[in-house]
Amino acid sequence: MTGLAPARSTRRLVLAGASVLLVALGLVALMVVRPSAASPSGASSQSAPAEDSVDAGFARDMAIHHQQAVEMSFIVRDRTDDEDVRRLAYDIINTQANQRGMMLGWLEMWGLPKSAAGPPMKWMGHTVTPTDDGSLMPGMATDAELAALTAAEDEKAEILFLRLMTVHHRAGADMAQAAAGAAKTDAIRNLAEGMVRGQQSEIGLMADMLKDRGVKP
């Protein structure tokens, strides 16, 4: 395997995220102009939530959470030839980049800033103080863990990715569950409910993949 250049990976992630955001903003604009064409999420059918709402807080924090999942998936995709792991990484890249674009698009449509002025997860009733290890929220990998994933190859990279992503998904599912029960807009509630189902399903899949490799999650 060839080493992954961090600069190239970062450029690719930024370009991918920008493309998804542009598509999402285009879809949001279409929903505003043509309400009948809006998705069942109902993002354009309700008044904009407040800046300190669960809806806005979840959208901001989960966009950050998703960004790291996409980054880790890009890394492992280039560190292994295993088709099952590469397929999972591809699914995470596409699903979470798309969801991230939707959330940022809704914040844009609502006229709200895409980054919070205060600490993350305040919308859940508690706050997290970011540390200097790069892990901004529960479940997020540290800088050292990302470096280890980048340096690993083949089965070592697969196992580390599956373990890190399992922890990442568990925390993400907890966040999504909280938003599904407290958000005021159909858009966020529907998206969060789908995230819970999707990430719990992938947690089970990753547990099986780790078992196949003779290790525990």
Side-chain angles (χ1 to χ4, degrees), residues 11-213:
R11 278 199 306 273
R12 181 168 49 194
L13 181 61
V14 170
L15 290 173
S19 298
V20 170
L21 177 56
L22 288 174
V23 171
L25 290 175
L27 291 173
V28 167
L30 179 61
M31 289 192 297
V32 172
V33 175
R34 297 178 59 193
S36 61
S39 70
S41 64
S44 62
S45 63
Q46 297 175 307
S47 59
E51 185 171 344
D52 61 351
S53 65
V54 168
D55 306 70
F58 173 76
R60 294 185 187 111
D61 287 350
M62 190 57 82
I64 295 171
H65 217 262
H66 273 17
Q67 183 177 7
Q68 190 186 72
V70 172
E71 180 183 359
M72 289 194 292
S73 299
F74 269 125
I75 293 172
V76 78
R77 189 196 63 174
D78 293 343
R79 308 307 298 163
T80 179
D81 292 326
D82 184 89
E83 287 302 319
D84 290 336
V85 173
R86 287 172 61 87
R87 187 180 300 110
L88 173 62
Y90 180 82
D91 288 345
I92 292 172
I93 289 168
N94 280 274
T95 299
Q96 298 209 10
N98 181 56
Q99 291 174 345
R100 182 174 185 270
M102 291 170 64
M103 291 182 287
L104 294 177
W106 289 332
L107 288 168
E108 178 78 16
M109 185 184 71
W110 292 332
L112 299 176
K114 297 182 182 65
S115 58
M121 303 186 74
K122 186 176 180 180
W123 59 274
M124 286 185 70
H126 61 270
T127 57
V128 175
T129 302
T131 60
D132 58 3
D133 64 0
S135 179
L136 302 178
M137 283 175 273
M140 293 187 69
T142 65
D143 292 337
E145 289 169 333
L146 291 177
L149 180 61
T150 301
E153 292 187 1
D154 302 319
E155 190 173 63
K156 288 184 178 180
E158 297 160 18
I159 291 171
L160 182 54
F161 170 76
L162 292 169
R163 283 176 164 166
L164 291 175
M165 193 58 73
T166 294
V167 174
H168 203 276
H169 270 22
R170 284 174 180 161
D174 287 344
M175 292 169 64
Q177 188 69 62
K184 301 302 182 184
T185 63
D186 291 340
I188 293 297
R189 281 198 304 271
N190 293 342
L191 180 63
E193 288 170 359
M195 285 181 188
V196 173
R197 292 191 298 270
Q199 296 199 18
Q200 287 179 342
S201 176
E202 287 183 345
I203 288 170
L205 172 63
M206 290 187 289
D208 290 340
M209 295 171 76
L210 284 168
K211 184 178 179 180
D212 291 342
R213 289 161 177 77

